[in-house]
Amino acid sequence: AMAAERPRSLFALSAAAVSRSMAALERDVWALPGHLLRGLLPLLTVFHLERAEDAARRAGLSTQPIWRKLWDDVMKTRPPNSESITCWRKKFLETFFSNVLHGVLDVSSDWRLNDRHFSPLLHSSPHVSQLTLCNMLQGAVELTAEHNHEVLENLAGSLRILKFQHLLSCDQSIKCSLVLLLHRLIHHGSVSQVSMYSWPVPDTVLLVLILTMSAGFWRSGNALGYHSSPCGLCREEDRAQSQESAQEGAERGCTAEQEGSGGENQKRSPKEADAPMNSVLSDPRSPPLQNPACEETSSKVPCGHTSTQGGSFPRSSSEQLSCHPIPQKTYRRLKPAVGRKRRCLKRSRGHYADPEDLYDFVFTVARENNSGLLDKTGTTEGENTENCTSSSPGSPWTGHAGCKKRGGPTGILSLKAAPHRFRSISTLELFSVPLTGETCRTLSNLLSSWVSLENLVLSYNGLNANISCILSGLRALSHHPECRFRVLRVSDTFSHMPCMELVRCILSTLPQLHTLSVSFDLKHQLEGSRPEANPVCGKAEIPESCLEVLEIRFPREPLHSAFLLPVLKASKSLQQLSLDSATLPCPQELRLLLEALKECTPNLKKLSFHDVNLAEHQKEVLLLLQDPGLQEITFSFCRLFENSTAEFLSEIINTVKRNSSLKSLKLPGNRLGNHRLVALADIFSEDSFSSLCQLDVSSNCIKPDGLLEFTKKLEGHIQQRGGQLPFTHLRLFQNWLDQDAETAQEALRRLKAVCSVVNNAWDSSQAFADYISVM
């Protein structure tokens, strides 16, 4: 109390003095009684506050208010989704780490940060679970510096999500730092999700590098020409693998020398076996995953004997590898493949082999991989990907020696000849990162053996017909016995085919999916254009799928139940269905859809309609609200009460009162207004059987006086029911509560005594002005 009455400068001096003496006295200080410790905690620096957590917990004290105040004083911004933050300590230290790393926060700006015992990056790094690297990747350079070795070790144990945002082209040394960072955090760390955001003109080399490392591929040793030896963890793994290989070799004895070329590849040492799959890092300008036949034979072709089209393109990774000495034994074993290399080089000069040579080449490679590349139709996985899209003119990979154009290296053959050596991430997200035909083939080839991948999110990548290429890689992955791929989300500006046709295609290709989301803004980019025939899916019946969640956002396409019916029949495990921005061509379509849902999806629990005009479908809306199987129903911006009568609202309330299974009702953007909101309070009347827990009335033109009247009516029902009410959550985003702040505060205060209220500060007048300005 005395300290609080002192001038501000003396108060800061007192806190600094406490902090300086803490190192010597902290053992005794943490033994203080709880009421004394409570007064001491606000006087501590971040360093000592962090060390006091255990003592505060034992004393039954929470440090959350102190960390929240630290956020307000130091960050000076309101964190996004603040209502969902459960630990302000972790939120502060994680954001603090990022801000210090990127140089946007000065630790001398606040006495609680300026402690000689406190190393900002080192002491906050154990709390960092997600990190964003931006622009020129300065953060990657800093983290891989020698003085931050312990920081990187901490991140390897704590970091789960790694994000890249607004990346720019960078020089070779920065890329090398990035390689080392990814190697430690992904291959030898705990990162399980890699996301890339807002990269309008991606650096192809950098993009491929991140994708390749995320997929678990890495060339140890002189990666990018900057480091002469692998990391210590790699050396330990190499020693373990060498011992295991030696033991297996002793057991096999001489039989190993009699196996074919496919077996010879598998018997090579770990470093030799990794050379094909890791060659992207020997020359980052080349495609990461070359034709295995070309890779094997390139070691015998002198560097100067391969050519590129026009002589202006850099050497491929296979040529780069030829500069390094190859053991004599490997040289003799790879000798029979020279003829195949010549055929590849012939194609690279702009000529194609005759059909017999191509046939022999494809199936010879399949035999060498010894991996069962042939599918049921008798074609290779590579053939399907090869046909999905052609090289774009002017691509920097078009003239690479070894493979080119439709027979190109990037993504046409399986990687089973080059097994994964390191762990790879389980979630890959690409937001606003344009993908060319070449990068799609690269990604497709990586996906074909990315067995750890569980979630793939592709948003606004300009895929168009290249989605077929991605699906080819995912189909090859789905055939792998260890495949764990379960979630696919695809969204873009333009749809190159009708949404339902694409959904059918994806489910036919990937019946093991649990979640599928397809979302498009507009129809075809060119008026009247029609996509080419899709090589991935045909017109066969959709096999039974494991689908549990299906989300479709139509680019203003008609919703025909006949097209959705085959998908529903194949998805008997479906639990959530979301339909967005669809138009109903006739009144009967919605009723047919409801009948199909009832017949085909007995496990459906959540149903959502967004931006679907339901003004003329009142009977169908009531049928949905009385469905005993549904637990959550969403009518979002569906014009539900446009030109509706009071009788319709009364029927909705009575239907919900009789439904004991419905837990959540979401009605944002349906023009409720004050009087309809007040009427909805009768759902919780004394004679109600409703179990409704959550109600969402966001964006419904609700004013403070209407909210207060709703609150009073709700309080009356609570008294009638003896204080028992299932209602727990109310969402009020973007309503007109700023028109009378005093009334709104009273209504919110009384509401919060009844349920959890989620609201936001929203300027209704400015929003209305913005709406008028774009009309």
Side-chain angles (χ1 to χ4, degrees):
M2 292 175 61
E5 295 174 0
R6 297 176 186 174
R8 183 176 183 85
S9 59
L10 292 178
F11 175 76
L13 180 62
S14 174
V18 171
S19 192
R20 282 195 300 270
S21 62
M22 193 64 67
L25 300 176
E26 63 181 10
R27 181 177 302 176
D28 296 329
V29 170
W30 300 151
L32 288 174
H35 66 282
L36 294 179
L37 187 60
R38 181 183 294 107
L40 176 64
L41 289 175
L43 300 178
L44 302 181
T45 63
V46 170
F47 174 76
H48 291 297
L49 181 61
E50 173 67 13
R51 294 169 70 90
E53 283 292 328
D54 291 338
R57 192 178 299 110
R58 287 193 301 269
L61 302 176
S62 173
T63 60
Q64 292 299 304
I66 302 174
W67 289 108
R68 175 61 200 262
K69 187 175 188 309
L70 264 172
W71 176 282
D72 294 337
D73 295 345
V74 175
M75 305 303 175
K76 296 181 173 62
T77 59
R78 182 184 179 186
N81 302 320
S82 58
E83 66 276 357
S84 63
I85 296 175
T86 57
C87 182
W88 281 98
R89 171 194 179 196
K90 182 185 185 311
K91 179 67 176 177
F92 175 85
L93 290 172
E94 188 171 54
T95 307
F96 174 78
F97 178 92
S98 180
N99 289 346
V100 171
L101 179 67
H102 294 99
V104 298
L105 180 63
D106 182 8
V107 293
S108 63
S109 61
D110 194 291
W111 63 267
R112 290 164 291 188
L113 309 178
N114 194 10
D115 189 321
R116 64 187 180 88
H117 302 292
F118 183 52
S119 174
L121 293 182
L122 181 61
H123 289 101
S124 59
S125 55
H127 301 274
V128 179
S129 60
Q130 60 178 330
L131 176 65
T132 301
L133 299 178
C134 309
N135 304 330
M136 297 292 292
L137 295 169
Q138 301 93 327
V141 176
E142 178 68 17
L143 291 175
T144 53
E146 184 63 30
H147 63 273
N148 280 325
H149 174 74
E150 292 185 47
V151 175
L152 188 57
E153 293 302 308
N154 287 341
L155 289 178
S158 66
L159 198 65
R160 299 292 183 272
I161 301 174
L162 183 60
K163 298 181 179 181
F164 297 93
Q165 191 169 8
H166 307 304
L167 292 188
L168 303 172
S169 298
C170 53
D171 60 31
Q172 196 80 329
S173 62
I174 295 178
K175 289 175 184 174
C176 180
S177 297
L178 177 63
V179 166
L180 297 179
L181 183 71
L182 294 176
H183 180 56
R184 186 64 187 93
L185 297 181
I186 298 177
H187 300 165
H188 295 302
S190 303
V191 171
S192 59
Q193 176 177 325
V194 170
S195 304
M196 283 177 267
Y197 292 82
S198 303
W199 201 358
V201 186
D203 181 328
T204 303
V205 174
L206 196 54
L207 175 60
V208 169
L209 187 151
I210 296 174
L211 291 176
T212 306
M213 298 286 286
S214 299
F217 292 97
W218 150 262
R219 183 176 181 188
S220 59
N222 58 344
L224 293 179
Y226 280 88
H227 296 272
S228 58
S229 61
C231 70
L233 295 173
C234 287
R235 285 195 293 268
E236 291 176 7
E237 292 184 5
D238 284 343
R239 281 196 296 268
Q241 290 181 5
S242 298
Q243 292 174 0
E244 183 179 351
S245 300
Q247 183 177 356
E248 292 177 357
E251 293 174 357
R252 287 197 303 264
C254 296
T255 57
E257 293 295 329
Q258 298 174 2
E259 294 180 4
S261 60
E264 290 161 1
N265 290 339
Q266 297 174 0
K267 290 182 293 183
R268 286 182 290 169
S269 67
K271 291 185 179 179
E272 291 177 82
D274 287 338
M277 69 175 178
N278 300 323
S279 59
V280 64
L281 299 181
S282 65
D283 185 350
R285 296 167 298 183
S286 63
L289 302 164
Q290 301 287 354
N291 186 319
C294 300
E295 289 285 354
E296 292 175 358
T297 59
S298 63
S299 60
K300 299 174 296 307
V301 181
C303 291
H305 289 183
T306 53
S307 62
T308 56
Q309 191 175 21
S312 59
F313 293 97
R315 292 180 301 170
S316 69
S317 59
S318 59
E319 295 174 289
Q320 181 80 1
L321 287 172
S322 68
C323 300
H324 300 285
I326 303 295
Q328 187 66 22
K329 190 172 184 179
T330 304
Y331 176 89
R332 288 198 300 268
R333 282 193 281 194
L334 298 180
K335 187 174 181 179
V338 173
R340 290 190 296 276
K341 175 66 178 178
R342 288 172 179 167
R343 279 195 291 273
C344 284
L345 293 177
K346 187 175 181 179
R347 281 206 304 274
S348 74
R349 298 188 187 101
H351 304 286
Y352 290 90
D354 60 80
E356 292 184 0
D357 285 344
L358 181 60
Y359 182 91
D360 177 69
F361 167 76
V362 170
F363 284 92
T364 300
V365 171
R367 285 195 298 272
E368 286 182 349
N369 287 341
N370 193 23
S371 57
L373 288 177
L374 300 182
D375 61 16
K376 294 180 181 179
T377 62
T379 59
T380 65
E381 293 294 347
E383 287 178 286
N384 290 320
T385 313
E386 174 182 326
N387 294 329
C388 63
T389 184
S390 58
S391 303
S392 57
S395 168
W397 292 338
T398 306
H400 279 183
C403 302
K404 166 187 171 179
K405 292 186 179 178
R406 295 180 61 186
T410 325
I412 67 166
L413 290 174
S414 173
L415 303 176
K416 295 177 183 178
H420 283 270
R421 203 182 146 187
F422 294 105
R423 67 180 298 278
S424 52
I425 58 103
S426 59
T427 299
L428 175 65
E429 299 180 338
L430 302 177
F431 294 90
S432 298
V433 181
L435 299 177
T436 64
E438 294 291 354
T439 50
C440 281
R441 284 195 288 275
T442 300
L443 178 58
S444 175
N445 202 16
L446 290 169
L447 291 173
S448 65
S449 64
W450 200 327
V451 293
S452 71
L453 191 67
E454 300 174 11
N455 308 291
L456 177 62
V457 181
L458 300 172
S459 295
Y460 297 93
N461 310 113
L463 290 177
N464 292 317
N466 286 329
I467 184 67
S468 303
C469 187
I470 302 298
L471 291 181
S472 292
L474 292 175
R475 181 177 65 171
L477 174 63
S478 68
H479 294 161
H480 197 286
E482 298 180 13
C483 174
R484 292 181 285 177
F485 187 65
R486 295 295 180 267
V487 179
L488 176 62
R489 300 183 184 275
V490 179
S491 57
D492 220 321
T493 304
F494 298 105
S495 170
H496 79 291
M497 66 171 68
C499 274
M500 289 312 307
E501 185 178 335
L502 180 59
V503 169
R504 178 190 180 96
C505 178
I506 293 174
L507 288 180
S508 299
T509 305
L510 305 166
Q512 81 282 5
L513 279 182
H514 286 182
T515 299
L516 173 60
S517 176
V518 175
S519 173
F520 293 101
D521 297 334
L522 303 170
K523 291 184 180 180
H524 308 306
Q525 187 167 4
L526 299 176
E527 189 66 29
S529 66
R530 288 296 301 168
E532 299 178 357
N534 195 307
V536 179
C537 65
K539 297 298 182 181
E541 185 176 350
I542 305 175
E544 185 173 347
S545 71
C546 304
L547 199 65
E548 297 178 356
V549 179
L550 176 60
E551 301 172 351
I552 307 173
R553 184 159 68 92
F554 299 82
R556 290 298 171 191
E557 290 180 6
L559 174 59
H560 294 286
S561 57
F563 296 154
L564 188 57
L565 184 60
V567 174
L568 297 177
K569 285 183 176 180
S571 309
K572 298 188 181 299
S573 302
L574 194 66
Q575 298 181 17
Q576 300 181 39
L577 176 63
S578 175
L579 302 174
D580 186 345
S581 302
T583 58
L584 298 170
C586 61
Q588 291 77 20
E589 283 296 333
L590 185 57
R591 183 174 291 271
L592 292 174
L593 173 61
L594 299 186
E595 292 175 356
L597 290 174
K598 187 174 183 179
E599 177 184 353
C600 303
T601 57
N603 299 314
L604 191 66
K605 298 291 185 288
K606 298 181 180 180
L607 180 62
S608 173
F609 291 91
H610 175 78
D611 199 12
V612 179
N613 189 354
L614 299 178
E616 305 300 328
H617 298 82
Q618 297 181 3
K619 292 182 180 179
E620 288 74 18
V621 169
L622 294 174
L623 286 174
L624 281 173
L625 291 174
Q626 68 185 22
D627 190 321
L630 292 175
Q631 296 180 2
E632 180 178 308
I633 299 177
T634 300
F635 298 114
S636 174
F637 294 89
C638 290
R639 309 182 192 178
L640 209 57
F641 299 104
E642 182 178 299
N643 301 323
S644 66
T645 62
E647 288 76 11
F648 177 54
L649 178 62
S650 178
E651 288 176 336
I652 286 181
I653 294 171
N654 291 329
T655 302
V656 176
K657 287 171 64 174
R658 293 191 298 267
N659 189 342
S660 60
S661 62
L662 188 63
K663 306 295 182 184
S664 175
L665 179 61
K666 299 181 180 180
L667 303 170
N670 281 289
R671 307 181 187 182
L672 277 174
N674 282 355
H675 67 286
R676 292 192 182 98
L677 174 67
V678 174
L680 287 179
D682 288 334
I683 293 176
F684 307 102
S685 63
E686 188 178 7
D687 62 340
S688 174
F689 296 97
S690 173
S691 301
L692 196 67
C693 301
Q694 300 182 21
L695 180 64
D696 188 345
V697 290
S698 302
S699 303
N700 269 298
C701 308
I702 297 170
K703 298 180 180 180
D705 56 338
L707 183 62
L708 182 59
E709 189 176 349
F710 170 80
T711 303
K712 293 177 179 178
K713 196 171 185 179
L714 198 61
E715 291 172 340
H717 291 320
I718 293 175
Q719 291 179 354
Q720 293 174 358
R721 299 178 61 149
Q724 300 296 323
L725 192 70
F727 186 49
T728 57
H729 289 80
L730 178 68
R731 295 176 66 88
L732 285 167
F733 288 115
Q734 296 185 355
N735 279 298
W736 298 353
L737 302 184
D738 59 329
Q739 295 188 358
D740 185 347
E742 185 176 348
T743 303
Q745 288 300 320
E746 181 185 356
L748 291 173
R749 178 181 57 80
R750 296 172 67 167
L751 263 178
K752 289 178 181 178
V754 176
C755 61
S756 174
V757 181
V758 182
N759 187 35
N760 64 335
W762 190 63
D763 187 348
S764 59
S765 60
Q766 182 60 46
F768 184 73
D770 293 341
Y771 174 76
I772 294 296
S773 67
V774 297
M775 286 184 62

